[in-house]
PDB file of all heavy atoms in Angstrom:
ATOM      1  N   ALA X 137     107.154 101.298 128.110  1.00  0.00           N
ATOM      2  CA  ALA X 137     108.536 101.753 128.266  1.00  0.00           C
ATOM      3  C   ALA X 137     108.959 102.723 127.168  1.00  0.00           C
ATOM      4  O   ALA X 137     109.995 103.364 127.268  1.00  0.00           O
ATOM      5  CB  ALA X 137     109.476 100.555 128.276  1.00  0.00           C
ATOM      6  N   THR X 151     108.996  99.313 107.590  1.00  0.00           N
ATOM      7  CA  THR X 151     108.372  99.115 106.275  1.00  0.00           C
ATOM      8  C   THR X 151     109.289  99.598 105.153  1.00  0.00           C
ATOM      9  O   THR X 151     109.244  99.058 104.046  1.00  0.00           O
ATOM     10  CB  THR X 151     107.011  99.827 106.174  1.00  0.00           C
ATOM     11  OG1 THR X 151     107.195 101.253 106.117  1.00  0.00           O
ATOM     12  CG2 THR X 151     106.104  99.474 107.345  1.00  0.00           C
ATOM     13  N   PHE X 209     100.138 106.718 114.760  1.00  0.00           N
ATOM     14  CA  PHE X 209      98.762 106.377 115.101  1.00  0.00           C
ATOM     15  C   PHE X 209      97.938 105.864 113.918  1.00  0.00           C
ATOM     16  O   PHE X 209      96.722 105.733 114.029  1.00  0.00           O
ATOM     17  CB  PHE X 209      98.030 107.553 115.774  1.00  0.00           C
ATOM     18  CG  PHE X 209      98.707 108.035 117.031  1.00  0.00           C
ATOM     19  CD1 PHE X 209      99.528 109.148 117.003  1.00  0.00           C
ATOM     20  CD2 PHE X 209      98.543 107.361 118.236  1.00  0.00           C
ATOM     21  CE1 PHE X 209     100.176 109.593 118.157  1.00  0.00           C
ATOM     22  CE2 PHE X 209      99.186 107.798 119.387  1.00  0.00           C
ATOM     23  CZ  PHE X 209      99.992 108.909 119.353  1.00  0.00           C
ATOM     24  N   LEU X 293      97.224  84.971  92.868  1.00  0.00           N
ATOM     25  CA  LEU X 293      97.229  86.411  92.609  1.00  0.00           C
ATOM     26  C   LEU X 293      96.668  86.709  91.224  1.00  0.00           C
ATOM     27  O   LEU X 293      95.819  87.599  91.059  1.00  0.00           O
ATOM     28  CB  LEU X 293      98.648  86.963  92.750  1.00  0.00           C
ATOM     29  CG  LEU X 293      98.829  88.474  92.597  1.00  0.00           C
ATOM     30  CD1 LEU X 293      97.970  89.238  93.587  1.00  0.00           C
ATOM     31  CD2 LEU X 293     100.296  88.839  92.769  1.00  0.00           C
TER      32      LEU X 293
END
Side-chain angles (χ1 to χ4, degrees):
T151 71
F209 302 99
L293 184 57

